[in-house]
């Protein structure tokens, strides 16, 4: 098993994971992922087993704000407009594992590797993310890693329930 920075040549496998993990209305588009790789490659990791990419995690560095601006979390937002290498908050923008490889601890491994790598190389004092109220395994993963709910965004996800997004933060 290898965890490494994503490359633009990984995009087809990353998109396969994205579409396997998220329904239309929640999955983000190819150009967003290519921009994330180009803008902050250190914050975009893939997990490979036997040369097959089974999962990814992507992130951005933001300037910390106590006040939550819901628009910053919009799916398919432009990383170039918000990413600041000298910011102090890591935003975990997306994580996906192929369905057939879930419940093997891969998401947790990616999550921990990203946090360790970013904490060593950037002056991060907090981390933030958003997750659907319906994604119980993801919520458990984040809580297990020290994240706490700070607010909810009404009808954030474009799924059949128009489910709320939970914004979670962890201070380092």
């Amino acid at each position: 098993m290898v965890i490494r920075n994503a490359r633009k040549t990984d995009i087809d496998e990353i998109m396969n994971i994205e579409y396997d993990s998220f329904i239309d209305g929640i999955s983000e588009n190819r150009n967003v992922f290519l921009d994330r790789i180009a803008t902050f490659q250190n914050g975009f990791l893939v997990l490979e087993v036997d040369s097959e990419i089974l999962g990814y995690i992507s992130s951005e560095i933001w300037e910390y704000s106590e006040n939550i601006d819901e628009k910053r979390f919009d799916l398919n937002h432009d990383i170039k407009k918000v990413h600041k290498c000298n910011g102090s908050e890591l935003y975990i923008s997306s994580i996906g594992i192929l369905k057939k490889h879930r419940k093997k601890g891969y998401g947790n491994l990616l999550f921990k590797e990203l946090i360790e790598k970013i904490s060593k190389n950037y002056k991060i004092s907090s981390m933030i993310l958003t997750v659907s109220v319906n994604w119980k395994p993801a919520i458990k993963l984040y809580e297990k890693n020290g994240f706490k709910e700070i607010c909810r965004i009404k009808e954030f996800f474009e799924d059949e329930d128009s489910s709320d997004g939970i914004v979670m933060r962890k201070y380092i």
Side-chain angles (χ1 to χ4, degrees):
M1 177 180 39
V2 175
I3 297 176
R4 62 169 174 78
N5 288 357
R7 299 184 285 257
K8 286 187 176 191
T9 54
D10 298 327
I11 193 63
D12 290 338
E13 290 175 278
I14 290 167
M15 294 314 299
N16 183 46
I17 296 164
E18 179 72 358
Y19 297 136
D20 187 54
S21 299
F22 304 104
I23 62 169
D24 283 344
I26 295 177
S27 60
E28 295 183 281
N29 72 53
R30 182 182 193 90
N31 288 335
V32 166
F33 284 100
L34 287 170
D35 281 349
R36 287 177 184 168
I37 294 168
T39 303
F40 189 42
Q41 190 175 26
N42 284 337
F44 200 132
L45 305 179
V46 294
L47 181 140
E48 286 182 328
V49 175
D50 299 326
S51 300
E52 178 187 4
I53 296 175
L54 307 182
Y56 74 83
I57 189 167
S58 64
S59 65
E60 310 166 5
I61 297 177
W62 291 355
E63 291 188 20
Y64 176 85
S65 176
E66 192 66 34
N67 299 320
I68 301 301
D69 178 2
E70 295 178 4
K71 292 244 179 262
R72 292 180 86 184
F73 296 96
D74 285 349
L75 299 177
N76 291 311
H77 71 269
D78 184 354
I79 184 175
K80 294 184 292 295
K81 292 182 179 176
V82 293
H83 178 72
K84 309 280 184 220
C85 279
N86 61 350
S88 63
E89 184 156 68
L90 181 70
Y91 170 57
I92 299 169
S93 51
S94 190
I95 182 170
I97 305 291
L98 287 172
K99 285 180 186 168
K100 66 182 181 180
H101 293 287
R102 291 185 186 159
K103 299 188 179 181
K104 297 178 182 177
Y106 292 146
N108 200 40
L109 284 172
L110 273 169
F111 200 76
K112 287 184 177 201
E113 181 71 19
L114 177 72
I115 291 169
E116 183 179 319
K117 180 179 182 176
I118 298 300
S119 296
K120 280 183 187 174
N121 296 301
Y122 299 88
K123 294 183 178 177
I124 301 298
S125 58
S126 63
M127 292 177 260
I128 197 165
L129 55 84
T130 186
V131 61
S132 170
V133 294
N134 297 329
W135 301 344
K136 304 299 183 205
I139 294 167
K140 280 185 184 177
L141 169 68
Y142 303 141
E143 288 174 341
K144 186 166 100 174
N145 281 281
F147 284 79
K148 297 189 180 343
E149 179 177 334
I150 57 171
C151 69
R152 292 192 181 207
I153 302 173
K154 284 278 182 213
E155 300 179 350
F156 180 75
F157 290 96
E158 294 179 19
D159 55 14
E160 61 275 357
D161 301 329
S162 294
S163 58
D164 293 350
I166 301 173
V167 178
M168 301 180 86
R169 179 177 271 153
K170 172 184 179 174
Y171 292 97
I172 300 174

